């Protein structure tokens, strides 16, 4: 970042003192054409304070690389350590808005000054797109983590939640008001709800109530012109697009109005683990034919790992059936005996608890953890990692599973999570919201490979492995397109190269996340942000003039 510590006056003095050297002066002037960090910051602050209803407190809400808190703020919610390495581009500054008018001013001034902007709510973007730009520089971050109020209205069965609140905070505030209300969103409690819902937001009640995005009834968003729009003001097309169309393409989400759903006073959870030596392959094959057809009150996901759990403490694959049932243990056991006796579930495996405590259980907290931990809004998982995703429409044969086990045991700490569909997910149309993975989907696969250091060779080794695994799975997953989940961002699928990315280029990844809904998303984008101000490596592109002429 050229001249990041030199003031405007000092730079003029330097230029004058070097005037005797034509070559040096010409070189400095060429560099001077690009505004320095200090100029950018000063111009931005001046514009910001002139635009916003409230001035930005520089000591507590505006962080530059020269500020001692810059690194801690940048790293605070970033989940993938790959994107915090010294070699990765860093923002010119970070703003942590305290008011909606701060977000408006950030958009207006970034647009006016030609500064590229990234938006972060929870920092869980798998490819770091909310806090890193690999295609444009300079850039800034608008970090929404201080806009996190949750206002629950039990009588109305709704809540207004600000984008910086974590899903755990939302769950806690709902349970604080009622033991028989909940919300069907993520299993990881540190997810920022702003970005989470823009990708769909699946969780352990999805088979009963659909996605988080299916249960949003209003929103407040800052558009490309800095206006705050609710559902009525933005119109139904934009409201459709922001609920599952991916984050940071259409504006900045300020708040969601969510619809609460009923939950029983008593729910039941269990985890049953089977290793290869305990017929894991046959049981998992059976699960594939059961999980999407079983009672919609029951969600059974499978967590697949490599552990030293064999008879001789040798390396093996374990499959852990991790479940939430919206009811008591007695009814659960009846359903399991009828539909999935192969798992061998017993009464002692079942834990009856409250819905809020089931949230902690599914998230992996120890059994005695108080719900108040959800208010910390912090993730317990930070690592260097690469992830990918698939959707499965037909059961994967046992022979293919055996090949999968061999490949998993080649890697250090591989993780796969299989999430069941069916139930309500099959009843909602593919075009109801941009998230299209509905009827006909048996389950979703998440692949993850983590590692412990920032060495380039380590990264290459693990990324190469997961790409080979992904190739191996191709015959057994969805095709034409091979679908993927937008909240598990994967730049291997393709990426925008710059501001002027074409519709054809973006279609390479767009149809995999959104299927036919990608076309409608592009039309909405072209209408509301034709100059592509809100953009990143996989943002929805607007149609260019020549593309509009070709397509319409």
């Amino acid at each position: 970042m050229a001249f990041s510590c030199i003031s405007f006056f000092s730079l003029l003095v330097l230029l004058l003192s070097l005037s005797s050297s034509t070559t040096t002066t010409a070189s400095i002037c060429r560099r001077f054409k690009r505004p320095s960090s200090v100029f950018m910051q000063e111009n931005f602050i001046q514009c910001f304070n002139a635009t916003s209803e409230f001035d930005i407190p520089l000591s507590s809400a505006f962080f530059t690389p020269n500020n001692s808190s810059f690194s801690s703020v940048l790293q605070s919610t970033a989940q993938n350590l790959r994107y915090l390495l010294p070699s990765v581009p860093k923002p010119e500054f970070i703003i942590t808005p305290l008011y909606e008018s701060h977000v408006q001013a950030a958009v207006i001034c970034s647009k006016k000054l030609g500064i590229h902007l990234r938006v972060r709510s929870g920092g869980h973007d798998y490819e770091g797109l909310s806090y890193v730009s690999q295609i444009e520089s300079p850039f800034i971050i608008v970090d929404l983590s201080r806009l996190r109020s949750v206002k629950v209205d039990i009588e109305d069965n709704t809540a207004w939640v600000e984008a910086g609140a974590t899903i755990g905070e939302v769950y806690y505030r709902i349970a604080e008001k009622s033991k028989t209300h909940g919300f069907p969103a993520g299993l990881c409690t540190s997810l920022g709800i702003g970005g989470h819902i823009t990708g769909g937001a699946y969780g352990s009640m999805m088979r009963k109530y659909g996605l988080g995005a299916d249960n949003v009834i209003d929103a407040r968003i800052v558009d490309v012109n800095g206006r705050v729009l609710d559902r009525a003001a933005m119109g139904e097309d934009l409201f459709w697009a922001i609920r599952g169309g991916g984050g940071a393409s259409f504006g900045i989400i300020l708040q969601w109005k969510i619809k609460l759903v009923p939950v029983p006073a008593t729910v039941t959870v269990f985890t049953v683990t089977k290793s290869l030596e305990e017929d894991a392959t046959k049981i998992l094959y059976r699960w594939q034919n059961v999980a999407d057809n079983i009672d919609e009150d029951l969600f059974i996901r499978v967590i697949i790992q490599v552990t030293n759990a064999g008879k001789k403490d040798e390396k093996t694959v374990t499959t852990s059936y991790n479940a939430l049932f919206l009811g008591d243990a007695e009814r659960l056991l009846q359903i399991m005996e009828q539909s999935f006796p192969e798992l061998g579930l017993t009464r002692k495996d079942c834990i009856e608890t409250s819905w809020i405590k089931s949230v902690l259980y599914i998230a992996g907290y120890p059994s005695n953890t108080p719900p108040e931990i959800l208010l910390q809004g912090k993730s317990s998982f930070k690592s260097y990692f690469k992830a990918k995703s698939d959707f499965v429409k037909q059961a994967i044969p046992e022979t293919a599973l055996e090949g999968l086990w061999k490949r998993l045991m080649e890697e250090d700490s591989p993780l796969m999570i299989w999430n069941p569909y069916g139930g309500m997910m099959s009843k909602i149309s593919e075009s109801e919201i941009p998230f299209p993975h509905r009827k006909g989907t048996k389950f979703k696969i998440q692949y993850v490979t983590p590692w412990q250091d920032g060495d380039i060779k380590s990264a290459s080794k693990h990324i190469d492995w997961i790409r080979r695994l992904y190739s191996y799975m191709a015959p057994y997953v969805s095709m034409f397109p091979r679908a993927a989940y937008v909240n598990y961002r994967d730049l291997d699928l393709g990426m925008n190269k710059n501001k002027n990315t074409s519709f054809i280029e973006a279609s390479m990844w767009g149809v995999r996340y959104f299927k036919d809904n990608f076309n409608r998303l592009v039309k909405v984008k072209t209408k509301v942000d034709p100059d592509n101000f809100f953009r990143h490596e996989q943002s929805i592109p607007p149609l260019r003039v020549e593309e509009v002429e070709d397509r319409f």
Side-chain angles (χ1 to χ4, degrees), residues 118-301:
R118 295 291 169 115
V119 185
R120 181 170 74 176
S121 55
H124 278 257
D125 191 294
Y126 277 14
E127 298 280 18
L129 305 188
S130 62
Y131 51 95
V132 173
S133 173
Q134 300 181 68
I135 57 174
E136 293 188 65
S137 182
F139 71 98
I140 66 171
I141 296 173
V142 176
D143 185 313
L144 302 176
S145 59
R146 298 174 74 175
L147 295 175
R148 58 195 315 136
S149 77
V150 179
K151 298 178 180 178
V152 178
D153 185 340
I154 291 298
E155 291 185 3
D156 192 43
N157 291 316
T158 62
W160 274 104
V161 296
E162 287 190 309
T166 65
I167 194 65
E169 290 175 283
V170 175
Y171 293 158
Y172 181 89
R173 295 304 180 195
I174 294 170
E176 189 177 42
K177 294 288 184 71
S178 169
K179 307 305 179 189
T180 56
H181 287 76
F183 183 65
L187 297 85
C188 176
T189 57
S190 59
L191 291 164
I193 198 166
H196 181 46
I197 287 178
T198 63
Y202 81 89
S204 56
M205 293 198 292
M206 61 186 282
R207 302 190 65 251
K208 179 71 171 181
Y209 296 116
L211 306 171
D214 293 323
N215 291 276
V216 168
I217 55 178
D218 205 341
R220 288 172 61 81
I221 183 173
V222 175
D223 76 352
V224 69
N225 297 310
R227 300 173 300 176
V228 175
L229 307 176
D230 63 7
R231 179 175 182 173
M234 75 178 79
E236 288 303 298
D237 282 344
L238 181 53
F239 184 64
W240 174 85
I242 62 177
R243 293 173 295 144
S249 285
F250 305 98
I252 299 180
I253 302 296
L254 295 172
Q255 297 185 53
W256 298 110
K257 187 178 185 181
I258 60 175
K259 179 177 65 177
L260 307 186
V261 299
V263 296
T266 299
V267 303
T268 307
V269 293
F270 70 81
T271 302
V272 173
T273 300
K274 300 291 184 181
S275 68
L276 295 184
E277 294 74 20
E278 298 170 307
D279 285 334
T281 305
K282 291 185 179 299
I283 295 171
L284 185 61
Y285 181 75
R286 175 61 182 160
W287 174 89
Q288 295 181 79
N289 292 293
V290 169
D292 61 318
N293 296 310
I294 207 165
D295 191 298
E296 65 182 19
D297 286 337
L298 179 54
F299 173 92
I300 311 174
R301 66 173 178 165

Side-chain angles (χ1 to χ4, degrees), residues 440-506:
T441 298
K442 295 182 79 66
F443 59 96
K444 173 172 58 64
I445 297 176
Q446 177 179 192
Y447 312 85
V448 184
T449 178
W451 58 96
Q452 297 302 316
D453 63 77
D455 183 71
I456 294 177
K457 291 182 179 178
S458 292
S460 296
K461 170 191 169 186
H462 297 290
I463 292 172
D464 287 348
W465 174 83
I466 201 171
R467 287 172 177 166
R468 291 195 305 272
L469 179 67
Y470 187 71
S471 294
Y472 170 78
M473 293 295 289
Y476 312 111
V477 298
S478 63
M479 301 178 187
F480 311 115
R482 183 175 181 177
Y485 179 38
V486 68
N487 269 359
Y488 296 158
R489 289 279 183 195
D490 182 3
L491 294 184
D492 289 351
L493 304 182
M495 57 188 284
N496 302 330
K497 296 179 178 63
N498 53 48
K499 182 178 180 179
N500 297 314
T501 293
S502 73
F503 170 83
I504 297 299
E505 291 171 337

Side-chain angles (χ1 to χ4, degrees), residues 221-465:
I221 183 173
V222 175
D223 76 352
V224 69
N225 297 310
R227 300 173 300 176
V228 175
L229 307 176
D230 63 7
R231 179 175 182 173
M234 75 178 79
E236 288 303 298
D237 282 344
L238 181 53
F239 184 64
W240 174 85
I242 62 177
R243 293 173 295 144
S249 285
F250 305 98
I252 299 180
I253 302 296
L254 295 172
Q255 297 185 53
W256 298 110
K257 187 178 185 181
I258 60 175
K259 179 177 65 177
L260 307 186
V261 299
V263 296
T266 299
V267 303
T268 307
V269 293
F270 70 81
T271 302
V272 173
T273 300
K274 300 291 184 181
S275 68
L276 295 184
E277 294 74 20
E278 298 170 307
D279 285 334
T281 305
K282 291 185 179 299
I283 295 171
L284 185 61
Y285 181 75
R286 175 61 182 160
W287 174 89
Q288 295 181 79
N289 292 293
V290 169
D292 61 318
N293 296 310
I294 207 165
D295 191 298
E296 65 182 19
D297 286 337
L298 179 54
F299 173 92
I300 311 174
R301 66 173 178 165
V302 188
I303 301 169
I304 303 172
Q305 297 172 289
V306 171
T307 62
N308 292 325
K311 293 178 181 178
K312 298 180 181 179
D313 202 33
E314 296 173 345
K315 204 171 187 181
T316 188
V317 174
T318 59
T319 56
S320 296
Y321 295 81
N322 182 232
L324 168 67
F325 177 65
L326 298 174
D328 61 31
E330 182 179 354
R331 189 163 77 90
L332 168 61
L333 288 167
Q334 292 173 356
I335 291 170
M336 289 295 288
E337 178 60 31
Q338 179 181 354
S339 301
F340 193 18
E342 294 84 355
L343 187 61
L345 185 71
T346 65
R347 179 62 181 86
K348 68 178 182 179
D349 296 319
C350 303
I351 302 170
E352 293 186 332
T353 187
S354 64
W355 173 74
I356 192 63
K357 289 186 177 179
S358 79
V359 166
L360 297 170
Y361 179 90
I362 296 292
Y365 287 100
S367 59
N368 59 349
T369 304
E372 283 70 25
I373 198 169
L374 298 174
L375 298 177
Q376 293 182 6
K378 295 180 180 179
S379 172
S380 58
F381 177 78
K382 287 194 177 189
S383 178
Y384 303 89
F385 70 90
K386 173 66 180 174
K388 302 178 85 65
S389 63
D390 264 319
F391 290 87
V392 179
K393 293 180 174 293
Q394 294 182 334
I396 300 170
E398 288 185 35
T399 53
L401 294 177
E402 289 166 358
L404 174 60
W405 308 149
K406 292 177 183 178
R407 286 160 176 81
L408 290 177
M409 286 195 278
E410 293 172 356
E411 181 61 333
D412 296 341
S413 303
L415 172 67
M416 293 179 73
I417 303 176
W418 294 16
N419 287 286
Y421 274 55
M424 181 58 74
M425 292 299 292
S426 296
K427 300 173 186 176
I428 299 173
S429 165
E430 285 193 0
S431 60
E432 181 69 21
I433 64 172
F435 181 98
H437 316 290
R438 304 288 187 172
K439 187 176 182 180
T441 298
K442 295 182 79 66
F443 59 96
K444 173 172 58 64
I445 297 176
Q446 177 179 192
Y447 312 85
V448 184
T449 178
W451 58 96
Q452 297 302 316
D453 63 77
D455 183 71
I456 294 177
K457 291 182 179 178
S458 292
S460 296
K461 170 191 169 186
H462 297 290
I463 292 172
D464 287 348
W465 174 83

